[in-house]
């Protein structure tokens, strides 16, 4: 039994690693097909992230919302739900945190936690709706969350235009007492936009791990996700746990939006379309196998790819869209993990 568990852990570790390698390999083949040198291309990508401290800081900054969006999706997965609405929850969290940052006047010790909490609360409320509909009326959360993404986008734009608009098609800047901006971190990274939100995202990874694996509530949430009928028979409040799972997932997504509003930008613009961070969170969670450490590493990979992509174009002449293809390939191979597991198991049997 112990050997079987170890083998399962090794396989779970190898699947995302092999998926990344296969995605990179197929990306290299595509570069060759369009007449480019993949070694030069990938070296330019790495140089675009690690060759300059500014871009390294930008990579860490980009990781911040990706981590939190990935945690939101991962938490829902762990409880048997598929939260496609992270994008919408992130948008309303962004708007709520910026609104508090602009309209409230208080010392930083009160103002900053209040603004972050407002973002978390807004995302949680946006997650409450599909959670309630799922628990009470058995409406599939995928359909509801997809629709609520659009509601979040257009309602947020309407609120900004009607109540918060300043020249530049955006809100006013938040007060300094609600800002996560860090002159110290910026000076370390050649004045990148890296902010204290990065440490909040790391702390959120610990919160997810502790909540799911070290608390009775986490056990109940996972149990309901595994088997609703058995959980009900055991005396658990199945409907309440479904709603709570979506609320907590939405809270993580709302904090991701707060990191953008209070850290990266300090305001919110009228959005022409989705930010994409919430949808990237799905890929981060899948690649990270819905674990805290996996989400952290997957966010680092995706952040590196996105920050390094422009350097591929400037140094190697490779279109930055190729990075999106590599990301899509990685997701494809993760989704095809059954085939990878099958090959690994056969190799293990042949090794014996």
């Amino acid at each position: 039994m112990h050997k079987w568990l170890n083998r399962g852990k090794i396989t779970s570790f190898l699947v995302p690693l092999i998926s990344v390698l296969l995605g990179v390999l197929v990306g290299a083949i595509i570069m060759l097909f369009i007449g480019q040198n993949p070694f030069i291309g990938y070296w330019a990508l790495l140089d675009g992230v690690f060759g300059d401290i500014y871009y390294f800081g930008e990579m860490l900054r980009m990781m911040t919302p990706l981590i939190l969006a990935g945690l939101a999706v991962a938490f829902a997965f762990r409880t048997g739900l598929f939260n496609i609405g992270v994008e919408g929850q992130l948008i309303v969290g962004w708007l709520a945190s910026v609104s508090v940052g602009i309209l409230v006047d208080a010392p930083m010790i009160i103002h900053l936690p209040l603004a972050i909490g407002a973002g978390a609360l807004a995302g949680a409320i946006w997650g409450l709706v599909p959670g309630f509909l799922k628990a009470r009326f058995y409406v599939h959360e995928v359909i509801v969350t997809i629709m609520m993404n659009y509601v979040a986008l257009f309602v947020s734009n309407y609120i900004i235009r009607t109540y918060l608009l300043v020249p530049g098609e955006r809100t006013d800047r938040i007060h300094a007492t609600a800002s996560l901006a860090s002159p110290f971190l910026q000076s370390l990274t050649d004045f990148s936009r890296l902010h204290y939100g990065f440490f909040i995202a790391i702390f959120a990874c610990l919160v997810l791990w502790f909540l799911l694996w070290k608390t009775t509530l986490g056990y109940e949430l996972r149990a309901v996700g595994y088997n609703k009928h058995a959980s009900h028979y055991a005396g658990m409040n199945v409907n309440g746990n479904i709603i709570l799972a979506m609320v907590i997932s939405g809270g993580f997504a709302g904090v991701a939006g707060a990191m953008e509003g209070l850290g990266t930008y300090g305001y919110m613009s009228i959005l022409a379309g989705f930010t994409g961070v919430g949808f990237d969170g799905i890929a981060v969670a899948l690649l990270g196998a819905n674990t805290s450490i996996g989400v952290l590493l997957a966010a680092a990979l995706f952040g590196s790819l996105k920050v390094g992509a422009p350097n591929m174009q400037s140094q190697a002449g490779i279109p930055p869209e190729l990075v999106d293809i590599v990301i899509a390939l990685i997701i494809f191979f993760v989704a095809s993990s059954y085939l990878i597991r099958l090959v690994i198991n056969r190799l293990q049997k042949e090794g014996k």
Side-chain angles (χ1 to χ4, degrees):
M1 182 68 175
H2 181 67
K3 290 182 178 179
W4 183 85
L5 288 172
N6 286 338
R7 188 187 307 167
K9 289 181 179 180
I10 293 172
T11 302
S12 298
F13 171 76
L14 287 176
V15 167
L17 181 62
I18 293 173
S19 299
V20 171
L21 293 175
L22 289 174
V24 171
L25 178 61
V26 176
I29 294 172
I30 294 174
M31 288 186 206
L32 288 172
F33 183 76
I34 62 176
Q36 300 291 341
N37 188 323
F39 295 103
I40 295 176
Y42 283 129
W43 179 258
L45 186 146
L46 291 173
D47 185 58
V49 178
F50 302 104
D52 190 308
I53 191 64
Y54 171 84
Y55 291 109
F56 181 72
E58 281 295 299
M59 185 270 287
L60 296 179
R61 191 273 310 167
M62 186 167 286
M63 279 178 61
T64 301
L66 286 175
I67 290 171
L68 288 158
L71 292 177
V73 177
F75 187 88
F77 275 150
R78 286 291 185 182
T79 56
L81 299 168
F82 195 7
N83 186 4
I84 303 291
V86 171
E87 179 72 20
Q89 293 150 15
L90 181 150
I91 290 172
V92 297
W94 187 343
L95 177 62
S97 62
V98 167
S99 298
V100 171
I102 295 170
L103 301 175
V104 175
D105 190 8
M108 178 174 282
I109 194 172
I110 297 173
H111 200 182
L112 182 56
L114 186 64
I116 297 173
L121 179 61
I125 292 172
W126 221 250
L128 171 66
V129 176
F132 174 77
L133 293 176
K134 169 81 171 184
R136 183 66 179 83
F137 301 106
Y138 308 103
V139 181
H140 204 289
E141 70 276 8
V142 170
I143 303 299
V144 180
T145 51
I146 288 175
M147 292 190 295
M148 290 194 69
N149 284 336
Y150 289 93
V151 175
L153 175 64
F154 295 120
V155 168
S156 296
N157 284 346
Y158 171 79
I159 291 174
I160 294 174
R161 284 195 181 98
T162 307
Y163 302 106
L164 301 170
L165 189 65
V166 299
E169 294 292 294
R170 62 176 180 85
T171 68
D172 204 350
R173 295 194 69 87
I174 60 172
H175 297 313
T177 50
S179 177
L180 285 166
S182 169
F184 173 70
L185 293 177
Q186 290 172 4
S187 65
L188 290 179
T189 55
D190 198 17
F191 300 99
S192 72
R193 291 177 293 174
L194 181 61
H195 52 81
Y196 288 125
F198 177 73
F199 300 107
I200 294 176
I202 300 298
F203 178 71
C205 292
L206 298 175
V207 170
L208 179 80
W209 168 79
F210 183 81
L211 180 60
L212 280 178
W213 302 103
K214 298 297 179 180
T215 65
T216 303
L217 174 62
Y219 175 81
E220 287 194 10
L221 291 171
R222 287 185 289 114
V224 169
Y226 288 138
N227 193 316
K228 297 177 185 177
H229 302 293
S231 299
H232 179 73
Y233 183 77
M236 298 178 187
N237 184 350
V238 173
N239 288 344
N241 279 305
I242 289 173
I243 295 173
L244 183 59
M246 285 300 294
V247 165
I248 295 174
S249 176
F252 278 115
V255 175
M259 297 302 100
E260 295 290 80
L262 305 178
T264 302
Y265 298 102
Y267 58 86
M268 183 175 184
S269 299
I270 293 176
L271 300 174
F274 293 124
T275 68
V277 175
F279 299 121
D280 287 339
I282 300 172
V284 168
L286 286 172
L287 182 59
N290 303 318
T291 63
S292 293
I293 186 65
V295 166
L296 178 63
L297 295 175
L301 174 65
F302 280 36
S304 298
L305 289 172
K306 289 179 177 294
V307 170
N311 205 53
M312 291 178 66
Q313 184 177 32
S314 61
Q315 287 193 11
I318 297 174
E321 290 79 11
L322 185 72
V323 165
D324 294 325
I325 296 175
V326 171
I327 291 174
L329 288 167
I330 292 172
I331 298 170
F332 170 78
F333 288 118
V334 171
S336 307
S337 60
Y338 171 76
L339 296 175
I340 297 175
R341 291 177 186 274
L342 183 65
V343 172
I344 292 174
N345 290 335
R346 287 194 174 183
L347 290 175
Q348 288 176 339
K349 289 180 181 179
E350 291 177 2
K352 288 184 177 181

